[in-house]
Amino acid sequence: MQRSIWLALGVILSFSASSAFSEPELKGTPHELKGFLYPEENTVTIFAESKRTAYADVAILTLVVTTEDAKLSRSLAGNAEIRKHITKALVDFGLDPKAIQSSEFSTTPEYGWFSKRPINHKVINRMAIKIGDESQLMQVAVLADEFDEVEFSDTVFQHSQKQEAIAELQAKALERVMAKKRHYEKMLGLVLRPIGFRDASASQQPTRGALLRNNYAVTPGLYDKDLALSATEGSFQPHTQTQSFDEVEYQVGGSVDFQVKQALSGD
């Protein structure tokens, strides 16, 4: 009998000891377990954006100069002479020589039906010309019209101060974020500490007025009440490429993540 009592007491003590030193069992989904082990901070994200308009003030014009001759040397010389004439005329007109660049030329030999030697050599070269106003654009067009060998290939309009404009808008967007942060702290009695930042991509597009003018220039019949109404309602799908020396709009946004803390005396 005494032996049975001691045996029972040993089992009870052994169970108590194992219960005291065992780890607590955790149950739940992976997300619930993660929240238990790594409690998430209370955070809030504040977004703001800034806009401004500017005018495209630079254009890159592309001229393609193509010459042909039975002799490669004459085709090359003719191509170089045309480009030299255009360059001199533009410099005399007031363009900076550094604004006129020529690409590496390419040659294409042409063969006759039964000839192993080329009967013709075509030389193609491109000229990239940076201009700053419409008078210079007109001068390039006049020079291109002088030669059958010259083709007016492409025009790309740019705003020369684009990077400066984007940097200015980024700063203004961040200022607006911080202004909102101070407002929320004051109204809600909280303390917001910045812990992260995401810079939204900058966008550039023509303004509505520029879009209306460009669409009318391409297809005059489109400039009607329906087009005007769509511009007023903001239903245009704007192009990202500026089409002329016209107004463009930049838009830059940014988000800041804040840790939310209850305001304490002396915090």
Side-chain angles (χ1 to χ4, degrees):
M1 180 68 179
Q2 187 176 6
R3 182 181 179 184
S4 299
I5 293 174
W6 283 107
L7 181 61
L9 182 60
V11 171
I12 293 172
L13 291 174
S14 175
F15 177 78
S16 300
S18 62
S19 299
F21 292 101
S22 63
E23 294 291 338
E25 183 179 3
L26 298 178
K27 294 182 179 180
T29 65
H31 180 73
E32 292 171 340
L33 293 176
K34 180 181 178 182
F36 179 82
L37 297 173
Y38 306 101
E40 294 181 359
E41 296 179 337
N42 189 11
T43 61
V44 64
T45 299
I46 300 179
F47 172 82
E49 65 180 7
S50 184
K51 301 179 182 180
R52 65 159 289 188
T53 58
Y55 279 86
D57 56 354
V58 174
I60 308 298
L61 311 180
T62 301
L63 300 182
V64 178
V65 182
T66 304
T67 52
E68 298 182 60
D69 198 280
K71 296 292 185 180
L72 176 59
S73 59
R74 289 203 296 261
S75 186
L76 287 169
N79 197 292
E81 186 63 29
I82 292 174
R83 289 183 285 110
K84 180 180 179 181
H85 175 82
I86 293 176
T87 299
K88 182 179 183 305
L90 291 176
V91 171
D92 291 344
F93 188 74
L95 263 70
D96 186 342
K98 295 181 180 179
I100 307 169
Q101 302 291 331
S102 292
S103 67
E104 295 183 0
F105 67 87
S106 64
T107 62
T108 304
E110 297 178 359
Y111 296 86
W113 285 100
F114 305 104
S115 175
K116 294 183 179 181
R117 300 186 62 181
I119 61 173
N120 189 59
H121 293 273
K122 180 184 292 185
V123 176
I124 301 174
N125 206 319
R126 294 180 182 271
M127 299 182 67
I129 304 168
K130 180 184 291 187
I131 65 171
D133 58 51
E134 292 186 358
S135 65
Q136 295 172 345
L137 172 62
M138 180 62 69
Q139 182 65 19
V140 174
V142 170
L143 290 169
D145 290 341
E146 288 186 19
F147 301 93
D148 294 335
E149 297 88 347
V150 177
E151 177 185 357
F152 205 120
S153 175
D154 188 30
T155 306
V156 177
F157 292 89
Q158 301 174 347
H159 176 216
S160 61
Q161 302 299 315
K162 177 179 180 179
Q163 296 304 320
E164 290 82 352
I166 290 177
E168 175 188 337
L169 292 179
Q170 287 173 333
K172 288 185 177 180
L174 187 57
E175 288 176 0
R176 292 179 178 179
V177 167
M178 299 308 291
K180 288 184 178 182
K181 174 241 185 200
R182 292 189 293 270
H183 174 72
Y184 294 146
E185 286 179 325
K186 179 179 179 181
M187 298 301 296
L188 302 176
L190 301 173
V191 174
L192 303 180
R193 301 186 184 277
I195 58 175
F197 176 75
R198 292 184 299 279
D199 190 12
S201 58
S203 64
Q204 171 189 342
Q205 63 189 35
T207 60
R208 286 179 182 169
L211 282 170
L212 281 170
R213 193 191 64 78
N214 288 335
N215 277 275
Y216 180 72
V218 174
T219 310
L222 288 179
Y223 194 85
D224 54 22
K225 63 179 181 181
D226 294 330
L227 182 62
L229 180 61
S230 67
T232 304
E233 295 175 347
S235 60
F236 261 136
Q237 297 297 321
H239 306 289
T240 57
Q241 177 62 55
T242 304
Q243 302 296 325
S244 66
F245 289 109
D246 214 324
E247 195 174 31
V248 294
E249 181 181 76
Y250 294 107
Q251 180 174 326
V252 177
S255 301
V256 179
D257 299 323
F258 294 92
Q259 180 183 8
V260 182
K261 290 181 173 291
Q262 190 68 35
L264 298 176
S265 176
D267 191 11

